[in-house]
Amino acid sequence: MHHQHAVIHHRGLDFWSARAAVLVIICLQLLVINNLSFGPRWLAPTIEAALLVPLSIATAWTQMATQKAVDHEHWYTIGQFRLYIRRAALVMTGVISVMNCGALVFLVRALLEGHAGAGTTLLIDALNIWVTNVIVFALWFWSTDRGGPPTCGLVKRAQADFLFPQMTLPDRETGGWLPGFVDYVFLAFTNATAFSPTDTLPLTQRAKLLMMAEAMISLLTIALVAARAVNILA
């Protein structure tokens, strides 16, 4: 497909992968054993689900609309609608981030006060928080890099926030390669395990701050929570 907007049709899976990632986070929040949430246990998942459902419907609508768009006016309308979707998605990602950081703060406080429950439950909750941290920062990276997915195929590509290895190869080998959601999941996973960039480098201050925040949360989870849980089990 040689249409200038053809990339949109090939990147639809990324949007659904991101929606599925949010669904995984909701399930993880419901599986937290200790009382580590703001308000009732169901509050955060309910807020996120209330945002996820209309976002999924809107995503499906835009993907169907791109199949029927034939002129500039149609593409402009789709682009504006996708920008509104992005803003709602960023709000949802922000809610998830606040809730996950709050869960970590509550768990660390419980550890310091000596009433955090059994070591096994600490390990499970620490792993839950760590996995959620990886997913939520994958969403942040995906939503902010190069202006976010709504700009893909509709406007001139913005400045890249990350330098992926494929971007350093000759053009004839990459063929206009663009990172997908899985690439950002891998980036978030390696940053959370190595606490530093691995094969992908941050290029902007925004990207560096996001990677610093993720590494800090990951380090705090592993060093303070998981290590304490292991000591309890020993």
Side-chain angles (χ1 to χ4, degrees):
M1 187 181 296
H2 300 290
H3 194 279
Q4 63 175 332
H5 301 304
V7 65
I8 296 176
H9 302 289
H10 297 287
R11 303 306 291 270
L13 182 60
D14 280 347
F15 284 91
W16 293 114
S17 298
R19 304 297 180 256
V22 175
L23 188 60
V24 170
I25 290 176
I26 292 174
C27 293
L28 289 174
Q29 290 173 333
L30 293 173
L31 293 175
V32 171
I33 299 174
N34 295 277
N35 184 20
L36 304 174
S37 59
F38 295 112
R41 181 187 295 267
W42 51 263
L43 179 61
T46 300
I47 295 174
E48 292 154 10
L51 291 170
L52 179 62
V53 171
L55 276 174
S56 299
I57 296 173
T59 298
W61 181 89
T62 55
Q63 290 185 359
M64 289 187 295
T66 58
Q67 301 290 340
K68 302 176 182 179
V70 294
D71 56 31
H72 176 73
E73 183 179 352
H74 289 159
W75 286 111
Y76 177 79
T77 302
I78 292 171
Q80 291 298 112
F81 195 68
R82 289 176 65 170
L83 289 176
Y84 291 135
I85 293 176
R86 177 178 183 253
R87 291 169 186 170
L90 288 175
V91 170
M92 181 175 61
T93 306
V95 170
I96 297 173
S97 300
V98 170
M99 293 299 180
N100 197 51
C101 289
L104 178 59
V105 169
F106 289 153
L107 189 51
V108 171
R109 186 177 67 180
L111 275 172
L112 296 177
E113 295 176 356
H115 53 77
T120 303
T121 64
L122 289 180
L123 281 174
I124 294 174
D125 284 346
L127 178 62
N128 190 320
I129 292 172
W130 188 86
V131 172
T132 301
N133 183 51
V134 171
I135 297 175
V136 74
F137 274 94
L139 291 169
W140 278 121
F141 298 154
W142 178 69
S143 299
T144 56
D145 187 25
R146 304 162 182 258
T151 65
C152 182
L154 294 176
V155 300
K156 184 178 179 181
R157 301 304 295 171
Q159 178 185 3
D161 290 279
F162 298 98
L163 178 65
F164 288 87
Q166 292 87 339
M167 297 166 59
T168 64
L169 299 175
D171 290 340
R172 64 178 180 274
E173 296 185 24
T174 58
W177 180 88
L178 290 174
F181 183 70
V182 173
D183 296 296
Y184 295 107
V185 173
F186 179 76
L187 169 61
F189 178 83
T190 55
N191 187 51
T193 52
F195 311 119
S196 63
T198 53
D199 66 334
T200 303
L201 301 176
L203 299 178
T204 63
Q205 293 182 350
R206 174 175 60 187
K208 293 175 182 178
L209 289 173
L210 284 172
M211 293 189 72
M212 287 171 58
E214 185 197 10
M216 181 180 65
I217 295 172
S218 179
L219 180 62
L220 188 61
T221 304
I222 294 174
L224 295 182
V225 179
R228 176 58 178 165
V230 170
N231 289 336
I232 293 175
L233 289 175

